[in-house]
Amino acid sequence: MTWSTSEIEYEGLPLLLRKPDHENIWRFKDKLTKLVSIEHHLDTVTSDGLPEKKYNSKLSDFDHYMCSLFDKSNDGIIFLIETYSGKRIYYYYTSPTFNIEPLIETTKHKFKLTLEGWTQDDTGWGFLDEYPVKLFPQ
């Protein structure tokens, strides 16, 4: 899968956005209605809250793993990665019955990182509608 990246300013700090170039992400809207966020607290950041380059390069295996969570499953898709203010947040839409907690725990142990996750019902994909920039054209 190919990815698009952009950088915007949000509340005076750089916000790095990375999103997969889904051919038509909206085809998943009726089936994948749970919004999942997995937040990684970055250990080494610069004064603007972005990861230090050497530290960031050490995260490539973890990042690939997070981007591939649903490659062999129809239970979810990744749709956005934000890097902002000392955090990297991975956003997914999953099926309403999918339990992300076991995956988060496995990932914490595998990579020895601090991760926090939350989920919420987002049947209408309001997160994307309300996002400060248009991520996916309809």
Side-chain angles (χ1 to χ4, degrees), residues 4 7 32 54 57 82 85 94:
S4 296
E7 179 176 344
L32 305 177
K54 192 173 182 180
S57 67
E82 291 178 337
S85 189
T94 68

Side-chain angles (χ1 to χ4, degrees), residues 5 7 12 14-15 25-26 29 41 44-45 52-53 57 63 71-72 77 88 92 95 109 111 113 120 125 127 129-130:
T5 60
E7 179 176 344
L15 168 60
I25 194 169
W26 302 103
K29 186 176 179 180
H41 295 272
T44 309
V45 297
E52 186 272 329
K53 288 182 190 252
S57 67
D63 190 67
D71 280 1
K72 296 179 179 156
I77 57 167
R88 181 163 289 148
Y92 308 85
S95 63
H109 296 299
F111 293 98
L113 296 171
Q120 73 179 44
W125 282 23
F127 179 88
D129 290 338
E130 296 167 13

Side-chain angles (χ1 to χ4, degrees), residues 29-61:
K29 186 176 179 180
D30 292 335
K31 181 182 175 208
L32 305 177
T33 58
K34 185 192 290 185
L35 175 63
V36 174
S37 169
I38 301 175
E39 187 174 289
H40 172 213
H41 295 272
L42 302 168
D43 290 335
T44 309
V45 297
T46 59
S47 61
D48 61 4
L50 297 179
E52 186 272 329
K53 288 182 190 252
K54 192 173 182 180
Y55 169 71
N56 195 47
S57 67
K58 293 178 183 179
L59 296 174
S60 63
D61 288 343

Side-chain angles (χ1 to χ4, degrees), residues 50-109:
L50 297 179
E52 186 272 329
K53 288 182 190 252
K54 192 173 182 180
Y55 169 71
N56 195 47
S57 67
K58 293 178 183 179
L59 296 174
S60 63
D61 288 343
F62 165 71
D63 190 67
H64 177 73
Y65 183 84
M66 295 299 288
C67 293
S68 306
L69 283 181
F70 295 102
D71 280 1
K72 296 179 179 156
S73 163
N74 292 324
D75 289 323
I77 57 167
I78 187 167
F79 70 91
L80 178 64
I81 303 168
E82 291 178 337
T83 304
Y84 177 75
S85 189
K87 297 179 258 185
R88 181 163 289 148
I89 306 172
Y90 298 83
Y91 291 98
Y92 308 85
Y93 275 114
T94 68
S95 63
T97 58
F98 186 78
N99 182 3
I100 194 72
E101 289 303 319
L103 269 177
I104 293 173
E105 290 305 312
T106 299
T107 306
K108 282 181 184 179
H109 296 299

Side-chain angles (χ1 to χ4, degrees), residues 111-129:
F111 293 98
K112 312 270 188 278
L113 296 171
T114 303
L115 303 174
E116 294 178 28
W118 59 262
T119 65
Q120 73 179 44
D121 175 62
D122 192 14
T123 304
W125 282 23
F127 179 88
L128 285 178
D129 290 338

